[in-house]
Structures are given as C-alpha cells and as structure tokens.
C-alpha cells in the first residue's frame, strides 16, 4: 500500500498548523487508495542542521537525524502543511527538509498552506526545494486564507470548497507516488 506522510511544518507555540494537519489527516484517512500518517515536526527534535557531511552523502551521525531519515524513508509521498512566514515557509520545515536528501528522492509532494495570501509564496519556495531534491511536486494545492478559513486568525474553519481542493491534491499525490514507485525500486 502506498504510504503518504502528512508533515506539519510549524513548531511555533499556538500554531495553526496542528489543526490544519489534523484536518488533512481526517480527510485523507477516509480514502482507501493509500495509508496516511500524520508527522509532527514537534515530535522530532531537530536542532539547526548539525551534521558534518552533506545530506547527499547519506553519512548521518546524529541519532535525531537517523530517526528522521528512517521516518521519511518509510513514505512514498508527502503532503506538507506549511505556514507562510515572511514570504516563505517556516524555518523548522526548511531545516527538517535540509537534513536529508536520498530519502526525499523520487517521491511525490503536495502542499497545504495557510497565511494572509493562503501561503502561496511559501509553496513557491517549497516547489523550488522539491525540484532540487528530485521530488515530483503536484500541481494542485490547498491555499487557506487566515481571513476566510480561520476565525480570529486562529480557529480553523475551512470553507467547504477547500475540502474539494484537498481531495484533488490527495488524488495527485497518491497517483504520482504510485507512478514513481519503479524509480524507488518498488
């Protein structure tokens, strides 16, 4: 069965990402075409990148890196839930991505973002990063507005059409994850 990791890309206290990630997971787990797992960066204590060798060498030394590498390697594709901070993604998500290389290769990725303009600029940066990591980023994305999908900018109440956008994104992530399986030797 195709395994998809839903990564909550914010570790900030009071973050909206936990509610958004839980929503993505609740919608996704109703599907039968893949297995979904919620991956919260708070559960992985990744300090600012502290490996001696570049991730492309795969010579991880730190226990936290090995734990993170094993988790990411276990998936065939991803949905990254990202806030938009200063026209980009969160530092925590970027740091977590930067720890690894081969574990991301030949896997699909879709994005669910949130912010004042739906997190669109964060996703633009993540698409560039995905290309460097040899990931296939899917076209569809979910862009949640702090003005219309949250009450008082903090209580998550997505508009119904966002569920349709999420369904399309999940369709594409699962399809591309399956299509890339031969490149991963599966």
């Amino acid at each position: 069965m195709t395994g998809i990791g839903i990564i909550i890309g914010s570790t900030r206290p009071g973050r909206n990402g936990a509610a958004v990630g839980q929503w993505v997971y609740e919608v996704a787990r109703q599907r039968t075409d893949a297995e979904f797992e919620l991956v919260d960066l708070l559960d992985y204590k990744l300090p600012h990148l502290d490996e001696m060798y570049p991730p492309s060498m795969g010579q991880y030394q730190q226990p936290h890196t090995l734990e993170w590498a094993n988790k990411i390697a276990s998936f065939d594709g991803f949905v990254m839930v990202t806030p938009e901070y200063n026209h980009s993604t969160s530092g925590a998500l970027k740091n977590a991505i930067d720890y690894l290389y081969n574990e991301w290769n030949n896997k699909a990725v879709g994005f669910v973002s949130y912010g004042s303009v739906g997190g669109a600029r964060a996703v633009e940066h993540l698409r560039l990063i995905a290309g460097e990591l040899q990931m296939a980023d899917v076209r569809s994305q979910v862009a949640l507005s702090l003005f219309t999908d949250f009450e008082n900018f903090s209580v998550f109440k997505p508009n119904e059409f966002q569920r349709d956008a999420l369904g399309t994104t999940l369709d594409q992530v699962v399809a591309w994850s399956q299509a890339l399986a031969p490149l991963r030797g599966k």
Side-chain angles (χ1 to χ4, degrees), residues 5-176:
I6 300 166
I7 300 174
I8 299 174
S10 174
T11 58
R12 182 177 177 166
R15 64 195 172 144
N16 288 323
V20 175
Q22 189 63 43
W23 172 71
V24 172
Y25 177 68
E26 292 300 325
V27 171
R29 73 183 198 153
Q30 295 173 22
R31 300 171 64 101
T32 59
D33 56 351
E35 292 179 349
F36 297 87
E37 183 179 333
L38 197 56
V39 179
D40 192 338
L41 290 184
L42 278 177
D43 295 335
Y44 296 86
K45 304 304 179 202
L46 299 171
H48 193 61
L49 186 57
D50 64 348
E51 288 287 342
M52 180 178 291
Y53 300 105
S56 60
M57 295 178 72
Q59 296 180 17
Y60 309 132
Q61 305 295 310
Q62 303 293 338
H64 53 261
T65 309
L66 295 168
E67 179 186 15
W68 180 238
N70 288 333
K71 177 52 69 180
I72 296 305
S74 73
F75 296 112
D76 300 300
F78 304 94
V79 174
M80 293 186 183
V81 176
T82 182
E84 183 173 308
Y85 298 154
N86 299 316
H87 290 220
S88 191
T89 191
S90 71
L93 180 55
K94 178 67 165 79
N95 186 56
I97 291 169
D98 287 347
Y99 259 92
L100 309 175
Y101 181 72
N102 292 320
E103 294 78 4
W104 300 114
N105 294 176
N106 300 314
K107 296 180 180 181
V109 62
F111 304 103
V112 175
S113 58
Y114 56 95
S116 60
V117 291
R121 296 168 295 206
V123 172
E124 287 177 0
H125 287 179
L126 286 168
R127 289 184 188 283
L128 292 171
I129 295 164
E132 178 60 22
L133 295 173
Q134 300 183 55
M135 299 178 82
D137 59 308
V138 302
R139 181 179 185 275
S140 180
Q141 71 183 62
V142 181
L144 301 162
S145 170
L146 288 175
F147 297 102
T148 59
D149 293 302
F150 293 84
E151 184 177 282
N152 296 321
F153 302 102
S154 61
V155 178
F156 183 51
K157 293 186 175 182
N159 284 297
E160 188 57 35
F161 71 86
Q162 297 290 14
R163 187 180 177 97
D164 294 338
L166 177 57
T168 302
T169 300
L170 293 171
D171 288 346
Q172 292 177 5
V173 168
V174 170
W176 277 94

